[in-house]
Amino acid sequence: MLLNIAERHKLILKKLENDGFVEVADLSQEFGVSLVTIRKDLKALEEKNLLFRSHGRAIPSNPYTTEHHVNIKEKINKKEKTRIAIAAGLILKPNDSIIIASGTSVIEFAKHLKPVEGLTVLTASLNTALILAENPNIDVIQLGGIVRRSSSSVIGPTSEKMLKEFTFTKLFLGVDGIDIDFGLTTTNSMEASLNKEMIKAAQKIIVLADSSKFGKKGFGKICGLEDVDQIITDKKLDHKIKEKLEELGIDVTLA
């Protein structure tokens, strides 16, 4: 007996919750209906904001992130970002020379950073530089370049060229999206380009990102996950994603 529309929709959403995605061809075969019928089902569910259609499949939500001003983003998942920031500070070592990129997670890191002996910080973030400059025990280097107002940070060829003159022990990187297959992304292509140069200049790459960033994609690709050494996130991270990251050799810290 064929399922009616309501029954199909209920089962589609259940499979989506359990598996994280559904395939049009698989649903067509399982329900005994045409591909066209399944596409209509998925379109109807998408119009109700219950899923997002993409290349013959559907996933729970739109993976593409949009750009917001840093003043808005810093209020999102504030408690999680604070715990991530504190955990990140624990891995600093005496005489570390580190890069702090841009974004609200790394600004929070700067706010809670307790300096170790001989700490040098280079940053693209204007807010981070101002926060750390108040501490006489930290040597702060501000990258120059084009000011990106939405993130209160610098980007462009001047900052990229400056990075080539240094080498660092650690990079603390904030991102807009982390996708298991596509890697790390940000909403701005010039920022992505600067982040690539930061990765080249650092010995260890540490990503600070709350769990809402996983499964998301931004416009500009920074790198694949093979370049990442450690991710510090919060305890809401899906355990399946954590397992996949660890299989890739990434140290995952849940704060």
Side-chain angles (χ1 to χ4, degrees), residues 174-229:
V175 298
D176 291 317
I178 302 176
D179 182 90
I180 293 294
D181 298 316
F182 194 66
L184 309 182
T185 55
T186 180
T187 55
N188 183 278
S189 61
M190 289 182 72
E191 183 174 74
S193 179
L194 177 59
N195 290 159
K196 289 176 183 176
E197 293 302 322
M198 290 178 173
I199 289 171
K200 293 178 184 177
Q203 296 174 14
K204 186 174 183 180
I205 314 305
I206 302 153
V207 177
L208 309 185
D210 67 80
S211 56
S212 69
K213 302 292 180 65
F214 290 83
K216 298 290 185 181
K217 292 180 181 179
F219 175 71
K221 182 173 181 177
I222 299 169
C223 67
L225 287 173
E226 66 274 5
D227 292 326
V228 177
D229 297 293

Side-chain angles (χ1 to χ4, degrees), residues 3 9 12 31 34 46 73 98 103 111 136 144 151 181 193-194 203 207 227 234 247:
L3 301 172
H9 288 190
I12 288 170
F31 296 159
S34 69
E46 184 178 48
K73 291 169 67 176
I98 68 173
K111 290 177 181 178
S151 62
D181 298 316
S193 179
L194 177 59
Q203 296 174 14
V207 177
D227 292 326
D234 59 76
E247 287 173 3

Side-chain angles (χ1 to χ4, degrees), residues 44-137:
L45 291 169
E46 184 178 48
E47 288 173 350
K48 296 178 182 179
N49 293 318
L50 296 173
L51 52 75
F52 180 83
R53 293 182 297 155
S54 175
H55 304 300
R57 60 162 49 189
I59 53 180
S61 61
N62 188 337
Y64 297 99
T65 184
T66 54
E67 184 172 13
H68 297 288
H69 194 278
V70 66
N71 292 342
I72 296 174
K73 291 169 67 176
E74 68 179 0
K75 299 174 184 177
I76 302 172
N77 296 323
K78 178 73 172 179
K79 292 181 180 178
E80 288 81 1
K81 289 175 181 175
T82 298
R83 291 197 295 267
I84 290 168
I86 294 170
L90 297 176
I91 63 178
L92 291 176
K93 303 294 183 184
N95 300 310
D96 260 342
S97 55
I98 68 173
I99 306 173
I100 299 180
S102 60
T104 54
S105 292
V106 297
I107 291 173
E108 198 68 21
F109 172 49
K111 290 177 181 178
H112 292 84
L113 191 154
K114 295 181 179 179
V116 294
E117 182 182 356
L119 179 63
T120 299
V121 178
L122 178 144
T123 184
S125 167
L126 304 177
N127 291 340
T128 294
L130 289 172
I131 292 167
L132 297 181
E134 295 182 4
N135 194 315
N137 297 316

Side-chain angles (χ1 to χ4, degrees), residues 13-22 30 60 240 244:
L13 293 175
K14 185 65 176 177
K15 288 176 68 67
L16 195 60
E17 180 182 355
N18 291 338
D19 300 336
F21 69 94
V22 291
E30 181 176 345
K240 293 180 181 178
K244 289 180 179 179

